C-alpha cells in the first residue's frame, strides 16, 4: 500500500462527500445548507487540487481539470454567499440560495468525474 495514494484518494473522496452533504436538502431553503459545510467542501477541494499537481499523465491532467472546475464553482458559490450576506440589503433569499446550490451541484459533478476517473485508473492498474 502506498501512503501517498491513500492520502490522494482520501482527499478526492472527502471533497466529493462534503460537497454532496452541502448539496443535499431543499434547493432554495437556506436552513438546509450550512455555510461551514460549503467552506469545508471548498477547502478540501483546494487541497485535492494541490495534490493533483504532481500527476504527469493524461489522466492526471483530466483529474486536475475536473478539480479546477470544482474549485471554480465552489469559489463562485462562496463569493455569492458572502455578497448576499454582506453587500445585499435583502440578505439571503431563496433565489440566491438556489444559485449557490446550483453552483455546488456543478462542483459535485466535477468531483464525481474525478472519483470515477480515479476508480477506472485504479481498476486498470491491476490488469
Amino acid at each position: 500500500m502506498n501512503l501517498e495514494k491513500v492520502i490522494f484518494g482520501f482527499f478526492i473522496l472527502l471533497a466529493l462527500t462534503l460537497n454532496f452533504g452541502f448539496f443535499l436538502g431543499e434547493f432554495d431553503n437556506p436552513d438546509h445548507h450550512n455555510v461551514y459545510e460549503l467552506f469545508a467542501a471548498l477547502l478540501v477541494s483546494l487541497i485535492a487540487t494541490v495534490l493533483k499537481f504532481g500527476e504527469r499523465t493524461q489522466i492526471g491532467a483530466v483529474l486536475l481539470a475536473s478539480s479546477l472546475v470544482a474549485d471554480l464553482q465552489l469559489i463562485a458559490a462562496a463569493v455569492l454567499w458572502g455578497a448576499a450576506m454582506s453587500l445585499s440589503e435583502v440578505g439571503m433569499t431563496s433565489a440566491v440560495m438556489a444559485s449557490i446550490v446550483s453552483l455546488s451541484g456543478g462542483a459535485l459533478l466535477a468531483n464525481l468525474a474525478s472519483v470515477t476517473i480515479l476508480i477506472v485508473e485504479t481498476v486498470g492498474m491491476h490488469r
Side-chain angles (χ1 to χ4, degrees), residues 22 26-31 33 81 92-102:
F22 177 78
E26 287 183 23
F27 206 59
D28 58 349
N29 188 345
D31 293 334
H33 306 284
W81 190 306
M92 182 62 70
T93 63
S94 60
V96 172
M97 182 50 71
S99 296
I100 291 168
V101 173
S102 289

Side-chain angles (χ1 to χ4, degrees), residues 6-24 36-52 63 66-71 74 103-115 118:
V6 171
I7 292 171
F8 184 74
F10 169 79
F11 276 103
I12 289 177
L13 286 172
L14 187 61
L16 174 66
T17 55
L18 284 171
N19 198 350
F20 182 71
F22 177 78
F23 185 75
L24 274 180
Y36 297 114
E37 196 165 7
L38 177 63
F39 176 73
L42 175 59
L43 182 67
V44 171
S45 184
L46 289 171
I47 292 170
T49 300
V50 169
L51 291 175
K52 291 174 187 171
L63 279 172
S66 66
S67 190
L68 288 171
V69 168
D71 292 346
L74 289 173
L103 287 166
S104 78
L108 179 65
L109 283 177
N111 284 333
L112 192 59
S114 285
V115 169
L118 183 66

Side-chain angles (χ1 to χ4, degrees), residues 1-14 47-48 51-52 54-57 59-60 63 114-115 117-126:
M1 178 172 35
N2 185 342
L3 183 61
E4 182 180 327
K5 292 195 183 289
V6 171
I7 292 171
F8 184 74
F10 169 79
F11 276 103
I12 289 177
L13 286 172
L14 187 61
I47 292 170
L51 291 175
K52 291 174 187 171
E55 291 287 322
R56 297 189 183 270
T57 63
I59 290 177
L63 279 172
S114 285
V115 169
I117 292 168
L118 183 66
I119 290 172
V120 168
E121 184 183 17
T122 303
V123 169
M125 286 175 50
H126 293 291

